[in-house]
Structures are given as structure tokens and as C-alpha cells.
Amino acid sequence: MLYKFKSQAAADVIMLRDNGLQMLKIIGKDDTAQGIVTVAQIPAAIAALEAAVAAHQAAMALAAAGTTPDDEEMPEGDGVMLHQRAAPFIELLRLSAAAGKDVVWGV
């Protein structure tokens, strides 16, 4: 299954199921087949994504320096960093907010 995030303000952003679910989880949305991020919700969604990216980068930096505590869970991935995966979605949200348009998926 794919997630296709759409807005009248920008091109669609298409993600594989797991990656789309990750974005929805970060912005506090349920993993439903259809949904909406309203214009009013977009600033909080962008802030949540940026905070998650910063936390992921900090964890990766600690891991690279070898200073991560053994009990701390390390971010896993497939070689694509969170900031790379989230960037198109964040851009879609920014363009949508500027144009006053909602972002939907599964419609």
C-alpha cells in the first residue's frame, strides 16, 4: 500500500506504507486509509516533524561518536535518513499552509 499526500497547493508526495505511517505517527495522526491535515494543524505538524528530525540527527551523532548508552534505543532505518524522507512532506505542508490549503491522503 502507498500513502499519497495531496494538496491543491503542490505536487503529490507518495510514500510506501511504513514511511507514510511514520510521518502520520510523528504528526499525531491515526494510521487511517484516509485523513486530513487542516491548515490550522499544519504549523504543529511541521514543528513535530522538525523536532523528530532533530532528535534523530542527535541520536545518530551520538551513535557515531560512540557515546550512546547501551540501554538507549537507536534509530533504525534502511539507509535513508529521516530528514531526507520527511523533507518532501514538510515542503508540501509549508506550501499548503502558504496557500491556505489542507493536505489530505487516501482521497
Side-chain angles (χ1 to χ4, degrees):
M1 180 178 143
L2 297 174
Y3 275 94
K4 184 185 283 189
F5 297 98
K6 301 186 264 184
S7 171
Q8 294 176 348
D12 296 347
V13 172
I14 300 171
M15 295 186 179
L16 295 174
R17 182 186 191 294
D18 290 344
N19 305 130
L21 288 175
Q22 180 184 26
M23 296 301 124
L24 292 177
K25 181 181 175 185
I26 291 170
I27 65 173
K29 293 289 185 175
D30 293 328
D31 60 345
T32 58
Q34 297 182 30
I36 186 169
V37 181
T38 64
V39 174
Q41 295 169 334
I42 289 175
I46 292 171
L49 287 164
E50 289 175 341
V53 166
H56 184 264
Q57 288 176 325
M60 295 303 290
L62 287 174
T67 59
T68 304
D70 293 335
D71 60 344
E72 185 175 328
E73 187 174 322
M74 285 305 305
E76 295 181 17
D78 55 3
V80 179
M81 301 308 243
L82 181 60
H83 73 274
Q84 295 166 318
R85 193 174 313 279
F89 188 47
I90 292 171
E91 184 65 15
L92 173 67
L93 291 169
R94 284 192 177 127
L95 293 170
S96 298
K101 302 291 182 182
D102 298 330
V103 174
V104 297
W105 67 91
V107 178

